[in-house]
Amino acid sequence: MAKLVLSSFAELEAYVGKELGTSEPHEITQAQIDKFAEATLDHQWIHTDPARAAKESPFGTTIAHGYLTLSMAPYLLAQILELKNIKMGINYGMEKLRFMDPVKVGSKLKLRAELIELKDLRGTARMTLKLSFEVEGAPKPAAVGEVIYLYQFG
């Protein structure tokens, strides 16, 4: 699916209640997991010790941190939606976040985005997207949540 490129509140408004698209798959590697562990100081063995995870983890291998999965949103969302003519954009928060299935090392993660709400707050657009982080071949999403962004169009 081609990336959606929009330049105004009115153009964005036409997509309320619609799926915006799906990103390309991104393979989650052990190196990426290890770098995330270093950055966050979260070295729990289910993420960083492949030998132990193979023996002791119910998943049979290491898994990505839930917050690593979530942190992929900007990169994957940029493949789905590009907003032009933006003076400023802010990540305002997330609601209804659930981690529903592990993301095993070597998994191919992709993002599906739906615009569920758009409000004009005196010239600032408040956009709420439902994000579904999906693993290729998995029966259910790894994580689902509603992310809220604030944008000011130029």
Side-chain angles (χ1 to χ4, degrees):
M1 178 179 255
K3 179 175 18 178
L4 189 59
V5 180
L6 304 173
S7 299
S8 69
F9 184 89
E11 288 179 7
L12 190 57
E13 200 169 29
Y15 290 89
V16 174
K18 297 179 182 174
E19 185 173 301
L20 301 178
T22 304
S23 72
E24 292 295 318
H26 171 82
E27 184 174 351
I28 300 296
T29 65
Q30 189 62 52
Q32 184 178 18
I33 292 170
D34 291 342
K35 286 178 184 177
F36 190 84
E38 283 299 317
T40 60
L41 305 177
D42 180 356
H43 298 280
Q44 186 180 13
W45 64 267
I46 62 170
H47 306 303
T48 61
D49 189 336
R52 185 173 176 188
K55 291 180 193 172
E56 298 179 34
S57 168
F59 312 117
T61 189
T62 53
I63 60 171
H65 304 71
Y67 290 121
L68 168 54
T69 300
L70 184 60
S71 74
M72 295 300 299
Y75 169 73
L76 297 173
L77 186 58
Q79 297 175 24
I80 299 169
L81 176 65
E82 180 180 349
L83 295 178
K84 293 195 175 256
N85 195 29
I86 296 290
K87 290 194 293 187
M88 181 180 67
I90 297 172
N91 179 348
Y92 191 64
M94 192 156 202
E95 297 178 349
K96 302 178 184 177
L97 173 64
R98 297 290 180 268
F99 295 108
M100 300 163 45
D101 213 21
V103 177
K104 296 178 182 179
V105 68
S107 293
K108 292 186 178 173
L109 184 69
K110 57 186 180 176
L111 181 69
R112 182 177 310 276
E114 176 187 346
L115 179 56
I116 57 175
E117 185 177 57
L118 183 66
K119 290 190 176 182
D120 184 352
L121 306 175
R122 297 179 310 266
T124 298
R126 186 177 81 187
M127 176 175 73
T128 304
L129 298 173
K130 178 180 178 185
L131 300 183
S132 297
F133 296 85
E134 301 173 351
V135 172
E136 282 190 342
K140 62 182 176 182
V144 175
E146 295 177 4
V147 66
I148 304 164
Y149 295 107
L150 300 177
Y151 292 106
Q152 289 182 342
F153 285 94

